[in-house]
Amino acid sequence: MNRDRTDSNTSNRLYMQTSGNVGSTEQRYFFPASYSEQSGKINIKCNLEVPQEFEMYNFHIPKVKDLRQYNTGKAYTYFIEGKEILEEQVQLKNTYYTLTDGSSIAIGECLSYDLPESEIYRRIIRSSERMAPQRDFSFGTGDSCVTKIKELLEGINYPIEEFSFSWFSTSGKEYSILEQRAYEDNVIGSKELKSGGWTEDNDAYEIYAWQIYENIPIFPQIMTTNMTRAVESYQRAPISAVYNKKGLLTLMAEAPYEFESTEEIAVFKSFSEIAKNLIKKYENLLDDCSYSVTRAKLAIRVYFDKKQQYQAEPVWYFEVYDNEFNMEIAMFNAITGKEIYLR
């Protein structure tokens, strides 16, 4: 069995249209399904990625209390208890274990688990998951493997109900193609090529999840301060895993944010107002480039304030290409319309 799925994953279903359950004319005006405008050196032409369940008039200003801790004792029991520890090190807020079977585990502020062979999968990455296939393999469906990851995390008191899970599949043949492309682009060297090549035994699911606040995905603090790290991708998701016929190969679960409820309702700028500020930003650049905006997504940005306290705000995330196909990220506060400057 290796059949193509005709249904989309959770992430795709969530963003194919805007505000599907609200139906208010004013909300559709504020956040239309798509937007197109050309002005001088910048052309905006993209769909607006706004969750179907988003309610503009019932969205509360987010407030981050702190990071939330999963049950580290249960994680130790699941991954380590009864196994032989080769090495143990404490660094900052995590304890790192190397077991005699070659697996590596970190337990503390984050959770990570890696089998030795997982390294070859982590080296082969897609530029984007949005066009990646969803095919079920003979060892289990993508959805069933997601369920296993959820059960594992739920067993250590990780708040999976606050996360939106997605997956895509990569066959051994596809890994071989991606590896060759990475080699030709000098991303990996000849010594990093997989010994023996890729086969059906290497068919795998890449599973990832984003934390959600009132139906809006949350961009972790590390994503929203640096231009290089700001690109939204499955590689940036706070939960990621690779699962193949042998089972779980690798898992990373970062500490989730704990949000406090607030009574303050957000008052959003219309997208057209945000677009005007985006156009102004690029029109003011003293260069000869032209720019194309190909993606616009509503998200929550978590960041540190001047006192190094967590803060959060809704933002518009833009992917912008110049005429030499270089991409950069632009972010604007969805309430004030002000640009968020990325280093």
Side-chain angles (χ1 to χ4, degrees):
M1 178 177 70
N2 186 7
R3 66 181 186 274
D4 289 321
R5 294 172 59 91
T6 56
D7 61 316
S8 298
N9 61 22
T10 303
S11 178
N12 290 336
R13 286 199 303 269
L14 196 61
Y15 291 103
M16 285 303 292
Q17 58 182 323
T18 64
S19 312
N21 73 322
V22 178
S24 114
T25 301
E26 188 173 0
Q27 180 156 318
R28 288 197 298 271
Y29 166 77
F30 263 66
F31 303 130
S34 61
Y35 190 89
S36 180
E37 182 176 358
Q38 184 160 5
S39 176
K41 65 199 302 182
I42 183 169
N43 180 32
I44 303 174
K45 188 175 183 180
C46 56
N47 294 327
L48 272 59
E49 297 180 41
V50 181
Q52 293 181 13
E53 301 302 319
F54 171 71
E55 296 183 59
M56 185 178 75
Y57 296 113
N58 194 32
F59 182 86
H60 299 82
I61 298 290
K63 183 179 181 182
V64 182
K65 183 177 181 181
D66 205 344
L67 296 177
R68 186 181 306 180
Q69 184 63 61
Y70 60 91
N71 191 311
T72 55
K74 290 183 177 181
Y76 184 93
T77 298
Y78 184 91
F79 288 104
I80 298 173
E81 193 170 88
K83 300 174 183 177
E84 188 175 351
I85 299 173
L86 185 65
E87 186 178 7
E88 178 179 345
Q89 291 184 339
V90 177
Q91 297 181 17
L92 299 177
K93 297 181 180 181
N94 294 303
T95 303
Y96 296 87
Y97 303 89
T98 302
L99 306 186
T100 54
D101 66 0
S103 59
S104 301
I105 301 109
I107 297 176
E109 187 171 86
C110 71
L111 171 69
S112 68
Y113 168 78
D114 295 283
L115 289 178
E117 66 183 278
S118 66
E119 183 181 356
I120 61 172
Y121 290 86
R122 290 301 194 190
R123 285 202 298 261
I124 309 302
I125 58 177
R126 295 178 182 268
S127 58
S128 172
E129 72 279 7
R130 281 177 286 161
M131 300 300 292
Q134 281 193 312
R135 301 187 185 97
D136 289 333
F137 298 123
S138 59
F139 63 83
T141 67
D143 289 338
S144 68
C145 293
V146 168
T147 297
K148 292 175 182 178
I149 297 297
K150 287 182 176 181
E151 290 173 348
L152 188 165
L153 293 171
E154 189 175 31
I156 61 172
N157 301 131
Y158 199 93
I160 61 168
E161 69 281 357
E162 296 180 18
F163 284 77
S164 175
F165 283 78
S166 304
W167 63 270
F168 61 86
S169 57
T170 306
S171 67
K173 182 178 180 180
E174 288 167 323
Y175 275 121
S176 180
I177 294 171
L178 291 169
E179 181 185 61
Q180 183 62 30
R181 189 178 302 161
Y183 175 69
E184 292 173 355
D185 292 340
N186 296 316
V187 176
I188 61 175
S190 58
K191 293 182 179 180
E192 296 174 295
L193 296 174
K194 184 180 181 300
S195 176
W198 298 84
T199 69
E200 287 185 5
D201 289 339
N202 303 119
D203 294 350
Y205 298 111
E206 302 250 9
I207 298 165
Y208 59 99
W210 294 93
Q211 191 174 4
I212 303 296
Y213 172 84
E214 296 194 2
N215 300 308
I216 301 294
I218 298 164
F219 287 172
Q221 180 270 333
I222 196 170
M223 263 187 71
T224 61
T225 57
N226 182 284
M227 180 69 73
T228 304
R229 295 171 176 169
V231 179
E232 192 250 19
S233 161
Y234 73 100
Q235 303 167 56
R236 302 280 191 266
I239 296 177
S240 62
V242 177
Y243 209 102
N244 74 358
K245 65 186 297 184
K246 295 180 180 179
L248 181 63
L249 296 182
T250 178
L251 170 68
M252 169 64 77
E254 297 175 1
Y257 297 106
E258 181 177 359
F259 286 87
E260 292 183 303
S261 60
T262 67
E263 299 301 322
E264 186 177 0
I265 300 295
V267 179
F268 289 90
K269 294 280 188 184
S270 69
F271 186 80
S272 61
E273 292 177 281
I274 301 294
K276 288 179 182 178
N277 292 342
L278 179 65
I279 289 170
K280 183 178 179 180
K281 166 186 169 66
Y282 285 96
E283 289 288 1
N284 287 339
L285 295 179
L286 301 176
D287 59 29
D288 297 324
C289 291
S290 59
Y291 296 90
S292 298
V293 180
T294 61
R295 194 175 181 206
K297 180 170 185 170
L298 186 63
I300 300 292
R301 168 196 179 224
V302 174
Y303 64 99
F304 282 128
D305 63 17
K306 293 180 180 179
K307 297 181 180 179
Q308 292 297 294
Q309 300 295 314
Y310 284 116
Q311 302 293 338
E313 61 189 8
V315 298
W316 280 103
Y317 163 95
F318 296 99
E319 293 182 0
V320 185
Y321 287 84
D322 65 18
N323 51 0
E324 295 183 351
F325 301 103
N326 299 307
M327 186 184 76
E328 68 179 36
I329 304 303
M331 283 189 192
F332 287 79
N333 186 299
I335 296 173
T336 67
K338 293 182 178 179
E339 183 180 1
I340 295 156
Y341 295 97
L342 302 170
R343 297 193 300 271

